[in-house]
């Protein structure tokens, strides 16, 4: 090999390690099974483009995503169908691209592909994940960022790139469908890396900063079950965005972040050059991981330029200034929809929850949600219109177009705190958990809300029905969703067909899936012994 070839070869190796991993807005997502060891323990997983988390997907506001999902799954112990939900993106006019299996589509069959095409119509921090069974707990998840060239928040930071995106998740040493009893994670992963007690000292994720600059950290919980308490030793965090919504800046040093929630926080790299622990303490976990950071568990590293390549010796902050949801207020258009009073919506929906100890199923208004074999959208397009006609029976609420809907959600359900996510909309949280009062003047807007743990309390959200289609409202603890903790709003069903002209490729999904044998549609549960 000549010197020019050698130079080219080594240059390729050097640059490959630093190549930006972001893809989009047009890209292919190959979903396949692979053995991975993000915390040092090797197990089978389902991954996107060979990695967990999957690649960052980006676009500029106003662009169109064209994301071709190729199903190469074959592991019989994991889900082999797939659908992808683009969490926080509203799919106006593209309800069929929302990716919720049983609601807006049938799963993509093994060996097949489907292109999701939809608008990047608003900027912010989002994520994508499988919305079929427990599949995303086995690895099918990753971040999305839509950048605004005219970002009104640019004044607050100097650096905003893919290297300052932080994903928080848990990891199980057993495939999700075979977890016995109540799921309890074995480790916490930050940007896909972590450690577990008694395991090897694997490499931790590193976030690099330069002293004197301000960094926009986009913190995303892509968890399946636990929530996290997030902090960085020696640094405050200025919250400027909540789930695609700019908020009036507020400075804290600790953030409780539930599944599906996202925060942009500004970190001022003004501390002495060194290494600092990034901490993500889970609410639950095996081997006491929910109570300590021993040996680098639940941790990553903030590394200043010029600091040694070593693990931090920084101390966890003792004075805590925790983020409260009631302290978050929209920077633009702060008012909640509807009249500024408790009964000020056009339609109020009161939810009631239950849990059956025998069946271990949750219920909403007396019904445990079971995804129908015919997606709700296909039922509507086939002529069904009313809640009585739509399946699953008792789990569909029809609502008219261009009305303000208030949903009152009771707190105190066992297994909480429960993060509730609404597809197709953001909502104003006019009554937060444990607030004891309403706020119609400037409540935070988001798409995942903590419904609280205080019995007798309740949370209220408001949204406007400006997006015809079936949209699921569900607990984002994935194990609770498959146990029935969900309900569907069928929004303006008589206008769905006109508002959402479905492509032929979407129409072909159900026949391909329905033709598969039942043993392909369900994973085989295996013993963990």
């Amino acid at each position: 090999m000549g010197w020019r070839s050698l130079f080219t070869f080594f240059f390729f190796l050097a640059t490959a390690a630093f190549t930006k991993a972001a893809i989009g807005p047009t890209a292919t997502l190959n979903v396949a099974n692979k053995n991975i060891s993000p915390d040092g323990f090797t197990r089978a997983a389902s991954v996107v483009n060979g990695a967990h988390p999957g690649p960052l997907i980006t676009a500029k506001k106003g662009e169109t995503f064209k994301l071709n999902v190729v199903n190469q799954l074959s592991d019989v112990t994991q889900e082999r169908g797939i659908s992808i939900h683009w969490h926080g993106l509203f799919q106006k006019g593209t309800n069929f691209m929302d990716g919720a299996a049983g609601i807006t589509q049938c799963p993509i069959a093994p060996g097949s592909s489907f292109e999701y095409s939809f608008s990047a119509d608003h900027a912010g921090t989002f994520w994508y994940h499988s919305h079929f069974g427990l599949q995303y707990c086995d690895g099918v998840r990753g971040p999305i960022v839509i950048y605004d060239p005219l970002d009104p928040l640019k004044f607050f930071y100097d650096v905003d790139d893919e290297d300052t995106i932080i994903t928080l998740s848990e990891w199980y040493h057993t495939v999700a469908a075979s977890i016995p009893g109540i799921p309890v994670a074995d480790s916490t992963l930050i940007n896909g890396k972590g450690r577990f007690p008694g395991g090897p000292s694997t490499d931790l994720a590193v976030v690099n900063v330069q002293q004197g600059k301000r960094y926009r950290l986009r913190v995303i919980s892509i968890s399946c079950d636990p929530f996290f308490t997030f902090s960085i030793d020696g640094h405050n965090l200025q919250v400027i965005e909540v789930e695609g919504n700019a908020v009036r800046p507020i400075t804290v040093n600790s953030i409780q972040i539930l599944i599906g929630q996202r925060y942009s926080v500004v970190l001022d790299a003004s501390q002495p050059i060194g290494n600092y622990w990034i901490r993500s303490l889970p609410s639950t976990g095996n081997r006491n991981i929910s109570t300590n950071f021993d040996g680098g568990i639940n941790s990553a590293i903030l590394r200043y330029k010029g600091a040694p390549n070593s693990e931090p010796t920084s101390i966890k902050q003792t004075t805590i200034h925790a983020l409260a949801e009631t302290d978050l207020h929209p920077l633009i258009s702060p008012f909640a929809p509807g009249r500024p009073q408790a009964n000020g919506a056009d339609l109020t929906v009161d939810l009631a929850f239950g849990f059956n100890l025998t069946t271990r199923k949750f219920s909403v208004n007396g019904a445990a949600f079971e995804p129908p074999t015919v997606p709700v959208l296909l039922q509507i397009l086939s002529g069904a219109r009313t809640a009585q006609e739509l399946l699953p029976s008792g789990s569909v609420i029809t609502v008219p177009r261009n009305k303000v809907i208030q949903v009152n959600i009771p707190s105190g359900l066992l297994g909480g705190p429960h993060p509730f996510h609404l597809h197709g909309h953001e909502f104003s949280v006019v009554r937060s958990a444990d607030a004891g009062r309403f706020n119609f003047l400037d409540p935070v807007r988001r798409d995942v809300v903590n419904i609280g743990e205080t019995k007798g309390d309740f949370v209220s959200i408001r949204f406007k029905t400006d997006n015809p289609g079936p949209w699921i409202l569900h607990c984002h603890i994935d194990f609770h969703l498959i146990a029935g903790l969900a309900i569907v709003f069928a929004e303006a069903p008589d206008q769905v067909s006109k508002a959402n002209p479905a492509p032929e490729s979407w129409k072909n999904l159900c026949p391909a899936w329905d033709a598969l044998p039942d043993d392909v549609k369900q994973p085989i549960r295996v013993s963990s012994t």
Side-chain angles (χ1 to χ4, degrees):
M1 182 181 291
W3 70 269
R4 291 182 185 275
S5 297
L6 281 171
F7 174 82
T8 301
F9 176 71
F10 286 114
F11 177 79
F12 170 78
L13 288 181
T15 55
F18 297 97
T19 299
K20 296 296 186 183
I23 59 175
T26 298
T28 296
L29 304 181
N30 292 301
V31 185
N33 299 118
K34 182 180 179 181
N35 288 338
I36 63 174
S37 49
D39 60 2
F41 179 91
T42 301
R43 56 151 284 197
S46 299
V47 297
V48 181
N49 290 4
H52 172 265
L56 167 66
I57 300 174
T58 67
K60 293 179 181 178
K61 182 179 178 181
E63 291 184 326
T64 297
F65 285 111
K66 292 184 178 296
L67 301 168
N68 187 40
V69 175
V70 181
N71 185 349
Q72 300 173 329
L73 296 165
S74 59
D75 187 341
V76 299
T77 69
Q78 300 178 66
E79 303 286 1
R80 282 180 278 174
I82 189 170
S83 65
I84 301 289
H85 172 55
W86 318 95
H87 185 120
L89 301 176
F90 304 143
Q91 304 294 351
K92 286 195 174 182
T94 50
N95 178 255
F96 44 82
M97 295 295 175
D98 189 52
I103 310 302
T104 59
Q105 71 168 86
C106 285
I108 304 166
S112 300
S113 64
F114 177 69
E115 183 180 85
Y116 291 88
S117 180
F118 53 92
S119 174
D121 54 9
H122 63 295
T125 308
F126 312 97
W127 64 301
Y128 62 95
H129 60 85
S130 170
H131 215 292
F132 179 54
L134 293 170
Q135 190 171 59
Y136 93 76
C137 305
D138 287 322
V140 183
R141 50 189 172 184
I144 300 175
V145 175
I146 300 176
Y147 294 100
D148 184 353
L150 303 175
D151 185 4
L153 298 171
K154 185 66 180 71
F155 171 83
F156 297 105
Y157 61 86
D158 304 308
V159 180
D160 175 23
D161 59 32
E162 66 184 82
D163 296 323
T164 58
I165 295 169
I166 299 176
T167 60
L168 311 177
S169 63
E170 87 280 47
W171 193 245
Y172 303 91
H173 290 172
T174 302
V175 295
S178 295
I179 294 174
I182 298 174
V184 185
D186 292 289
S187 62
T188 296
L189 305 182
I190 301 179
N191 284 349
K193 296 181 178 182
R195 295 174 183 169
F196 65 95
S201 294
T202 54
D203 289 341
L204 298 174
V206 177
V207 176
N208 294 291
V209 296
Q210 183 175 334
Q211 190 180 49
K213 291 190 175 182
R214 301 167 302 163
Y215 291 82
R216 180 176 184 167
L217 308 180
R218 296 177 184 259
V219 185
I220 310 170
S221 174
I222 61 173
S223 167
C224 277
D225 184 7
F227 67 83
F228 300 103
T229 301
F230 179 83
S231 63
I232 301 177
D233 289 359
H235 293 78
N236 288 328
L237 304 170
Q238 186 183 46
V239 182
I240 60 171
E241 178 221 345
V242 177
E243 293 154 34
N245 290 281
V247 295
R248 299 205 300 263
I250 178 173
T251 299
V252 299
N253 65 6
S254 176
I255 296 175
Q256 184 187 87
I257 181 168
L258 277 68
I259 305 167
Q261 293 185 332
R262 295 93 63 204
Y263 294 99
S264 279
V265 299
V266 176
L267 178 138
D268 187 350
S270 59
Q271 296 301 304
I273 292 173
N275 294 296
Y276 299 84
W277 285 121
I278 300 172
R279 303 178 186 269
S280 181
L281 190 70
S283 53
T284 60
N286 270 327
R287 304 180 187 93
N288 298 316
I289 67 170
S290 62
T291 61
N292 67 82
F293 299 93
D294 293 349
I297 63 171
N298 306 320
S299 301
I301 300 169
L302 180 76
R303 176 164 294 151
Y304 278 68
K305 184 178 181 180
N309 186 15
S310 61
E311 294 194 355
T313 58
S314 60
I315 304 299
K316 187 176 183 292
Q317 298 175 107
T318 55
T319 302
I320 304 301
H321 301 288
L323 177 66
E325 186 175 71
T326 49
D327 291 334
L328 295 168
H329 306 288
L331 189 64
I332 302 167
S333 302
F335 299 107
R339 300 183 305 280
Q341 54 199 56
N343 61 349
D346 297 311
L347 175 66
T348 297
V349 177
D350 294 311
L351 300 185
F353 294 145
F355 183 74
N356 187 311
L357 291 172
T358 302
T359 63
R360 302 190 68 80
K361 290 283 189 178
F362 289 97
S363 62
V364 182
N365 292 356
F369 176 78
E370 292 278 355
T373 54
V374 178
V376 180
L377 176 58
L378 183 56
Q379 295 177 52
I380 292 172
L381 295 179
S382 299
R385 292 288 186 270
T386 68
Q388 292 73 30
E389 295 173 303
L390 293 165
L391 299 175
S393 179
S395 293
V396 181
I397 298 173
T398 57
V399 292
R401 191 171 187 175
N402 293 326
K403 301 294 183 181
V404 175
I405 310 298
Q406 179 169 310
V407 186
N408 296 329
I409 311 173
S411 304
L413 179 64
L414 83 166
H418 297 271
F420 264 68
H421 171 51
L422 176 63
H423 290 217
H425 299 273
E426 62 187 3
F427 47 73
S428 294
V429 186
V430 294
R431 183 184 168 104
S432 293
D434 298 318
R437 60 182 176 82
F438 285 92
N439 175 10
F440 306 106
L441 177 64
D442 55 359
V444 66
R445 285 191 297 271
R446 61 189 324 160
D447 56 60
V448 180
V449 66
N450 176 5
I451 69 167
E453 296 182 273
T454 303
K455 286 188 177 295
D457 193 21
F458 65 97
V459 167
S460 297
I461 63 174
R462 281 189 185 178
F463 65 97
K464 189 172 183 180
T465 52
D466 55 3
N467 194 8
W471 305 108
I472 188 170
L473 172 70
H474 65 91
C475 177
H476 219 300
I477 297 175
D478 219 30
F479 302 97
H480 294 177
L481 170 57
I482 68 163
L485 196 46
I487 199 160
V488 176
F489 287 102
E491 185 173 326
D494 58 323
Q495 301 177 44
V496 168
S497 178
K498 183 178 180 180
N500 299 275
E504 285 300 315
S505 57
W506 178 85
K507 297 175 183 178
N508 294 332
L509 288 172
C510 285
W513 178 253
D514 292 341
L516 295 173
D518 289 342
D519 61 355
V520 174
K521 296 178 182 178
Q522 295 290 335
I524 297 174
R525 187 182 179 94
V526 296
S527 173
S528 59
T529 57

